[in-house]
Amino acid sequence: MAFTAFGYDYNLKHTETFQDVKLRLHHHLIDRIEEERVPVAEMSRDDLAAYVRGKVARYVAEHRLAVTAYDTEQLAREMVDELTGFGPLESLIRDDQVSDILVNGCRHIFVERVGRLQRLDIRFIDDDHVLRVIRRILAPLGRRLDESSPMVDARLPDGSRVNAIIPPVALEGPCLSIRKFRKDPLQAGDLLTYGTVDQTVLDFLLRAVEKRCNILVSGGTGAGKTTLLNILSRYIPPEERLVTIEDAAELQLGHDHVVRLETRPPNIDGRGQVTARDLVRNALRMRPDRIILGEVRGDEVMDVLQAMNTGHDGCMSTVHANSPRDALVRLEMLAGLAGFQGTDLTLKTMISTALDLIVQINRLPDGRRRVTGIEEVLGVRDGQFVSSALYEYRGDTDSFTSLGVVPSGAKLRQDGAGRGKWRS
């Protein structure tokens, strides 16, 4: 987009002048709106677009900007986004192909499409512009972001997760991360379509849910842990009462009897915090058939393990780990940080008796998500966890293989007769 103004030729896309023109135009529109007392909040987007389009066209004519009708329309569209939406991010938020939006200061905007990150040829005017958009996102949520509280986690009304961090903590300017919430949640059939699992693995996992196995989904950031947990949770029998606990509510269970709980950060005075551990303890008093914890990441691990060990079969959660073995080690570490006072052997036994299955899901270098392994937790022997790999993904053939191991647990054996778990 190029134009001539003030005796100079400008390229609107790639120069600072384009941002300067947008800033001047934005201030011009605000002045006109205030002078004419235009009820922006009461106008439909189409009516506001028509109003802005007229003002932009007049501004272009008065300043003799040599731009095409298409360029004028583009400027008008961006001005509407500035007034009512989230500026340069508005079109990305509306784009269903975009799953993550990452803003690293005013100059760098990245998105994830189909598992791949790519940098976009758009930017903010300056750091203040980024801050205005972040505060517009947070305003309806009642969340605070300033120098005394430079980090915030929040959830948009549609369920999308938002994280923002600003200077002085962020050295390169305000940073914003948005993990978008799908309007049409993935179904079990989508896992087959995308190759995340095959039919045999899917059938096994759904049977494990039906048999009330305690399942831990392990994986890295963006691997698809919550998505897989969400899909599996939908196959819990409808007559059961569920309680879900999340830091940012994402699960869409489509279940008739579900109580959704969400943690709460402290207020400005540092009070009123409600942690995942508080909610797990409260959930045990709510007569749940199953408890679904979005992620095990803190001292709530002790209460979850106790729930799994005291009759609450069929619980499910996720954990950040690179393998099933790492997942068990991470649970040990979290329990230690939570102040567990027993011996290592006692803790290992508690973990092994609580869990039935660990499902490992990874994001491959090309962006594809795959369930790379399923292991049954058998128990503890010689002070070490004993587990049995049931299925694994083989990258060389892009296929899933049953390792021919018959599950030991009674829940997973077809005849219902298990050999029991290893005990020390």
Side-chain angles (χ1 to χ4, degrees):
M1 185 188 300
F3 70 98
T4 302
F6 316 113
Y8 297 95
D9 290 331
Y10 299 118
N11 184 310
L12 288 186
K13 277 190 176 180
H14 301 288
T15 70
E16 295 293 326
T17 306
F18 173 54
Q19 306 302 330
D20 294 339
V21 170
K22 284 180 61 178
L23 182 60
R24 290 198 299 271
L25 183 53
H26 187 260
H27 290 321
H28 172 77
L29 283 172
I30 296 298
D31 291 341
R32 299 289 79 75
I33 288 171
E34 291 178 350
E35 288 179 6
E36 300 172 11
R37 298 182 178 180
V38 179
V40 173
E42 302 173 9
M43 298 174 67
S44 68
R45 185 177 177 88
D46 290 340
D47 291 341
L48 182 61
Y51 172 83
V52 170
R53 196 177 297 113
K55 295 300 181 183
V56 170
R58 178 172 296 182
Y59 183 90
V60 168
E62 289 176 352
H63 291 82
R64 299 180 181 178
L65 304 182
V67 297
T68 66
Y70 173 82
D71 296 339
T72 302
E73 179 66 24
Q74 181 69 16
L75 280 171
R77 188 180 304 112
E78 292 188 15
M79 289 302 102
V80 173
D81 290 341
E82 293 291 345
L83 293 172
T84 65
F86 302 135
L89 305 183
E90 184 67 21
S91 61
L92 304 178
I93 291 175
R94 294 197 300 263
D95 187 347
D96 292 336
Q97 297 297 316
V98 173
S99 57
D100 286 88
I101 303 171
L102 308 172
V103 178
N104 305 341
C106 65
R107 298 174 179 271
H108 308 297
I109 300 177
F110 297 81
V111 298
E112 180 182 307
R113 286 191 176 98
V114 198
R116 286 295 189 92
L117 281 176
Q118 52 185 271
R119 182 176 175 179
L120 301 182
D121 191 23
I122 60 176
R123 52 160 294 175
F124 288 86
I125 297 171
D126 51 27
D127 286 349
D128 288 338
H129 188 194
V130 183
L131 281 172
R132 287 198 302 272
V133 170
I134 292 175
R135 287 174 177 144
R136 185 175 296 170
I137 291 173
L138 298 178
L141 309 177
R143 303 301 298 274
R144 171 187 176 187
L145 187 68
D146 52 36
E147 285 192 6
S148 62
S149 181
M151 299 179 291
V152 66
D153 271 309
R155 176 172 54 86
L156 297 181
D158 69 352
S160 299
R161 289 189 297 180
V162 176
N163 176 272
I165 183 167
I166 64 174
V169 178
L171 301 181
E172 302 299 328
C175 296
L176 176 68
S177 304
I178 301 177
R179 174 158 291 180
K180 291 174 59 180
F181 199 68
R182 288 181 62 97
K183 297 177 182 177
D184 53 334
L186 291 177
Q187 306 294 328
D190 294 315
L191 296 180
L192 300 175
T193 301
Y194 296 139
T196 304
V197 295
D198 66 6
Q199 189 65 57
T200 301
V201 173
L202 180 60
D203 290 343
F204 174 82
L205 290 175
L206 298 186
R207 184 162 63 90
V209 173
E210 178 188 351
K211 297 292 185 180
R212 299 180 64 86
C213 290
N214 291 327
I215 300 174
L216 183 67
V217 180
S218 167
T221 300
K225 301 185 299 299
T226 303
T227 298
L228 180 58
L229 181 67
N230 196 44
I231 291 173
L232 296 179
S233 300
R234 293 200 196 100
Y235 288 86
I236 295 174
E239 65 273 10
E240 296 186 20
R241 174 177 169 84
L242 315 183
V243 178
T244 68
I245 299 168
E246 301 174 84
D247 284 326
E250 295 180 274
L251 296 173
Q252 293 176 291
L253 304 187
H255 201 279
D256 291 333
H257 198 171
V258 57
V259 179
R260 304 176 71 201
L261 306 179
E262 187 178 59
T263 60
R264 186 177 70 183
N267 59 21
I268 296 176
D269 299 324
R271 301 177 180 176
Q273 182 180 23
V274 179
T275 67
R277 187 169 198 176
D278 296 329
L279 295 179
V280 172
R281 288 177 172 177
N282 190 78
L284 295 175
R285 305 184 184 104
M286 300 175 68
R287 199 268 176 211
D289 287 309
R290 306 199 195 202
I291 297 174
I292 301 174
L293 179 61
E295 181 182 344
V296 179
R297 64 172 67 184
D299 54 8
E300 70 276 3
V301 63
M302 293 305 305
D303 298 273
V304 171
L305 291 175
Q306 291 183 45
M308 291 179 177
N309 275 308
T310 54
H312 293 86
D313 290 339
C315 294
M316 290 185 278
S317 186
T318 71
V319 69
H320 273 79
N322 294 323
S323 69
R325 180 65 52 152
D326 288 346
L328 294 171
V329 172
R330 180 161 171 77
L331 292 183
E332 277 192 282
M333 180 193 71
L334 291 175
L337 294 175
F340 179 75
Q341 298 297 317
T343 65
D344 289 345
L345 182 59
T346 301
L347 179 56
K348 281 184 167 67
T349 301
M350 179 185 295
I351 293 173
S352 66
T353 54
L355 293 176
D356 294 303
L357 291 176
I358 299 177
V359 181
Q360 182 69 34
I361 184 169
N362 291 327
R363 182 170 63 174
L364 305 184
D366 59 6
R368 295 176 299 163
R369 273 86 170 178
R370 293 289 186 270
V371 169
T372 55
I374 300 176
E375 290 197 11
E376 181 185 16
V377 183
L378 299 176
V380 179
R381 183 173 57 185
D382 297 330
Q384 300 296 322
F385 287 111
V386 177
S387 62
S388 176
L390 304 178
Y391 294 90
E392 70 175 19
Y393 168 75
R394 294 182 175 172
D396 54 345
T397 59
D398 191 25
S399 62
F400 301 88
T401 301
S402 170
L403 299 180
V405 178
V406 178
S408 295
K411 295 176 185 176
L412 288 170
R413 287 175 62 85
Q414 294 284 5
D415 57 10
R419 297 192 301 273
K421 294 188 174 186
W422 285 103
R423 295 292 181 266
S424 59

